[in-house]
Amino acid sequence: MDDDDSGRRSGGRLWILGAIVAGAAVLAGFYGMDTYSAGTNAAIQTSSDNAKDFETVFRDLLKQRSLVMSMAADVLLQDTTTMEAFARQDRPTLVARMEPFFQQLKKAHSVEQLNFWLPPATVYYRASQPNDFGADVSKYRRTVVAANERRQPVIAVETGIGGHVDVRAITPIMIDGKFAGSLEFASNLDVPLERASATAEVKWAVGISREVSERVERPADARVDVWQKDDVFYLFSDPQTAQFLRSISFDPNAPGYTVATDKRHHTIFVRTFQVIDFAGAPSIVVAIVDDLTDDFSDAMRSSLIRAGILFIVLAAIGLYAYVKFGQIRARLTGLVGSQRRELAQQVAVGQAALAKLKEVDLIKRGFFTNLVAAINEPLQAVSGQLATLAPAMAKADPGTAGRLAFVTGETARLSRLTGDYQQIELFRQKLVKADTTPVSLSAVAADVVEDDLVAYRRLPQFSVASTVSADLAPARADADLLRRAIASIVAMAAQRSGQGRVTISAKQDTEQWLVLAITGSAFTGPAQPTAAMLDESRQFMARLAAVDTTNAGGGELVGLVLARVIVEFYGGSLAISGGEPGFIVRLPAAV
């Protein structure tokens, strides 16, 4: 038996040790995943910020290149000898003057083309290619056509024949007020792309849409072209960037960025932006490419190291705590036993206190019942004597009629008060036998408004109405007693305020309770609901302590207490409304 117990204890220890190690592994794993996610997100955010910097720098440099091309054209237009040679179509003179000039521009300012055009877009002279003339390229060069037709300068990015994307500045040539043709300076996108790449430390690729590629008759090259959706990329910052774009898939027109992993486990960041061409269409797309493989590897390495350290620390703490648990358990056992004993003593004291409270409540209720019963019998006799004495005294001494009427009224009011209290106690002790058949709240509310409140409805500034739906589920109660309860609540408002409105409405809540709301502006001022209104003992003591009985109104409140007793007898509750002033009656629906 001892061996079995020892084996069970040993097996239990192994399970606990395994649970400690497993828990440490789980916590360390979650921490590692969170660390890895934070590291990769930081790398992606850095690439995204760099891509935004690239786009900003590129667009600024693109504007500068456009301005340089335009200024170069304006400067050359001042060379009247060259312009007149073009107007006379004196090719030898034009070639002799432009060739050295163009070579200097190309070397110093990266100007790629210097062209003279005849309308609509016929090449007359191309610097460094003087024998290339006479070709009409209006199909491809819309900027030249527009400049010649409008006879106004045109500065734009345009994709020329063969897919050459350049920044172009085209200026009309006017000689003696006559239009001779146009002058063009062009520079490719390499300068702004390379400078933006160096600034942001990312790579780039340039592509055009399928429609533009077909229009400019760009020759297809499977070794170079990288198709992504309907865009083809064929200009790259370096061969590795071309390989990266060829190994992943992304949408060049999608907003935001793409992070993809290729078959060689490279993690590539790609973000694109569009460049508007001369026609106003975003036919040129620039892809910003960044290799995040090293960043993701560093994040993985860092997260594994941190998770491993955390695992060792947590496992060590857990095992140390388990080793010390024997001592702690012994102390806790004694402490728990002591706490249990104290709790048992407190529970016993609490139960005794509850029993005392119940006893006090019974004594209080018995006192009030006996007191009301003792007062009621002589009060009835006095009321009867006063009722017969009043006419005789009025004839004998007319001056005493008013005082005797006050005494008679107060006695009758006190008689009604004691009668109501006796009715409450009888109802509480279930001496009043009532049916509990299903009743319609709509019908009960309508009867209250039409029959029980006729006297109060005559008040000029007081109104009462019912909006209870006939489709509402019935309640199980005695219809007459429920009418008395509702009428007592409304009568309290009418007697205390004498003005305002009362609305009786009802609904069924999500817990299938019938919620009857008796609310309105009449429950303000003296009729403002308070907790004391629903406590018969507090009401009775207040009326007994009142010195000025003429102003000690409150008999109507006993009807409110009776309404609470009636509602509670049928399993419901009467409470003060938390919204519009008034009362809320909750009754269980009849099943």
Side-chain angles (χ1 to χ4, degrees):
M1 188 69 178
D2 293 339
D3 292 340
D4 293 339
D5 292 341
S6 177
R8 283 194 293 269
R9 286 196 295 270
S10 178
R13 292 192 189 99
L14 290 177
W15 276 106
I16 293 174
L17 292 175
I20 292 174
V21 173
V26 170
L27 293 176
F30 279 117
Y31 174 74
M33 288 187 291
D34 184 68
T35 303
Y36 177 73
S37 177
T40 55
N41 288 338
I44 293 173
Q45 185 60 47
T46 299
S47 294
S48 180
D49 294 340
N50 291 340
K52 294 177 182 178
D53 293 340
F54 178 97
E55 181 179 355
T56 302
V57 173
F58 172 79
R59 293 191 184 278
D60 289 343
L61 292 175
L62 193 63
K63 292 180 181 178
Q64 293 179 15
R65 296 302 294 177
S66 300
L67 180 60
V68 168
M69 298 298 102
S70 177
M71 291 175 62
D74 290 340
V75 170
L76 187 56
L77 287 177
Q78 304 305 314
D79 185 355
T80 56
T81 302
T82 301
M83 297 302 107
E84 289 176 355
F86 169 64
R88 297 192 308 269
Q89 296 190 6
D90 183 357
R91 181 177 298 277
T93 302
L94 187 62
V95 172
R97 294 184 65 84
M98 286 296 100
E99 285 300 319
F101 175 72
F102 173 71
Q103 295 303 324
Q104 183 65 26
L105 281 180
K106 184 175 182 180
K107 180 180 179 180
H109 302 287
S110 299
V111 176
E112 296 296 324
Q113 293 184 27
L114 192 162
N115 303 319
F116 284 82
W117 298 91
L118 296 174
T122 301
V123 179
Y124 178 75
Y125 165 70
R126 189 186 303 275
S128 78
Q129 301 178 32
N131 296 325
D132 184 9
F133 65 92
D136 184 359
V137 295
S138 56
K139 175 182 177 182
Y140 316 103
R141 298 299 313 280
R142 298 177 179 177
T143 53
V144 178
V145 175
N148 287 331
E149 288 180 350
R150 302 172 187 172
R151 299 183 182 181
Q152 293 180 350
V154 173
I155 303 174
V157 177
E158 185 181 43
T159 305
I161 186 170
H164 295 284
V165 181
D166 295 312
V167 183
R168 304 180 185 275
I170 305 167
T171 306
I173 300 174
M174 306 294 294
I175 302 298
D176 296 332
K178 296 181 180 181
F179 175 70
S182 57
L183 169 66
E184 176 187 26
F185 279 88
S187 175
N188 57 37
L189 301 181
D190 290 351
V191 172
L193 286 171
E194 291 298 337
R195 291 184 182 177
S197 177
T199 301
E201 298 182 348
V202 291
K203 303 300 182 180
W204 54 267
V206 177
I208 56 178
S209 64
R210 184 186 301 272
E211 184 272 330
V212 174
S213 179
E214 293 174 352
R215 177 171 57 80
V216 300
E217 299 180 0
R218 190 191 66 83
D221 189 347
R223 295 174 300 177
V224 176
D225 296 351
V226 176
W227 283 94
Q228 297 289 350
K229 299 292 184 180
D230 286 334
D231 292 288
V232 57
F233 291 89
Y234 57 96
L235 299 175
F236 306 96
S237 58
D238 54 67
Q240 188 179 35
T241 301
Q243 184 62 34
F244 284 155
L245 290 191
R246 187 172 288 107
S247 62
I248 63 173
S249 177
F250 63 95
D251 185 359
N253 299 312
Y257 57 81
T258 300
V259 178
T261 303
D262 62 10
K263 295 180 180 180
R264 297 181 298 167
H265 305 292
H266 288 99
T267 303
I268 310 303
F269 171 93
V270 180
R271 182 177 180 271
T272 61
F273 64 90
Q274 307 289 338
V275 178
I276 305 301
D277 64 4
F278 168 70
S283 58
I284 302 169
V285 59
V286 178
I288 305 167
V289 184
D290 196 9
D291 183 6
L292 299 180
T293 305
D294 292 339
D295 298 290
F296 274 52
S297 297
D298 292 342
M300 175 63 74
R301 188 181 306 106
S302 176
S303 64
L304 289 176
I305 293 173
R306 294 185 180 185
I309 295 174
L310 180 62
F311 168 73
I312 294 173
V313 172
L314 291 177
I317 292 174
L319 294 175
Y320 178 79
Y322 177 71
V323 170
K324 295 295 183 180
F325 181 70
Q327 301 174 0
I328 299 173
R329 180 176 60 183
R331 296 178 182 177
L332 288 177
T333 301
L335 181 60
V336 170
S338 175
Q339 292 294 330
R340 285 180 176 176
R341 288 191 296 272
E342 291 181 6
L343 181 61
Q345 293 175 357
Q346 292 177 359
V347 170
V349 172
Q351 291 177 345
L354 288 175
K356 288 292 184 181
L357 287 175
K358 292 181 180 179
E359 183 178 352
V360 170
D361 185 65
L362 291 175
I363 292 173
K364 180 185 70 172
R365 187 173 295 167
F367 166 75
F368 280 114
T369 301
N370 294 334
L371 178 61
V372 172
I375 292 174
N376 188 52
E377 185 174 349
L379 183 61
Q380 296 296 332
V382 172
S383 297
Q385 291 294 326
L386 289 175
T388 57
L389 182 63
M393 289 293 295
K395 291 180 180 180
D397 186 2
T400 62
R403 288 179 291 174
L404 190 59
F406 169 77
V407 174
T408 303
E410 286 296 293
T411 305
R413 181 170 58 82
L414 186 59
S415 178
R416 290 193 300 272
L417 177 65
T418 57
D420 283 339
Y421 269 106
Q422 285 186 322
Q423 181 70 10
I424 293 172
E425 191 59 31
L426 288 175
F427 193 84
R428 181 183 287 112
Q429 298 174 6
K430 299 185 180 179
L431 297 178
V432 176
K433 305 299 181 182
D435 296 330
T436 56
T437 58
V439 296
S440 170
L441 291 183
S442 176
V444 171
D447 291 341
V448 170
V449 174
E450 297 296 331
D451 299 332
D452 299 332
L453 302 176
V454 174
Y456 301 118
R457 289 168 55 198
R458 294 172 182 169
L459 297 175
Q461 296 180 344
F462 182 81
S463 65
V464 59
S466 172
T467 62
V468 181
S469 172
D471 298 334
L472 202 64
R476 192 172 296 279
D478 181 77
D480 291 335
L481 289 176
L482 193 56
R483 283 177 56 185
R484 179 174 181 178
I486 298 174
S488 297
I489 296 174
V490 180
M492 186 275 293
Q495 295 173 16
R496 288 223 150 193
S497 66
Q499 62 182 359
R501 60 173 179 82
V502 176
T503 302
I504 305 173
S505 60
K507 65 178 182 179
Q508 192 167 9
D509 62 13
T510 55
E511 299 177 356
Q512 304 305 311
W513 281 81
L514 297 175
V515 181
L516 187 69
I518 307 171
T519 57
S521 59
F523 291 99
T524 56
Q528 181 73 32
T530 62
M533 290 182 176
L534 302 177
D535 189 336
E536 62 267 31
S537 299
R538 292 167 65 181
Q539 290 183 30
F540 191 64
M541 292 299 295
R543 285 186 52 71
L544 289 178
V547 177
D548 187 3
T549 58
T550 59
N551 295 323
E556 68 278 359
L557 299 180
V558 177
L560 183 61
V561 175
L562 182 58
R564 178 179 64 82
V565 175
I566 293 172
V567 170
E568 291 178 351
F569 178 76
Y570 292 113
S573 63
L574 177 63
I576 300 172
S577 173
E580 192 174 11
F583 295 88
I584 298 295
V585 176
R586 299 180 82 243
L587 290 169
V591 180

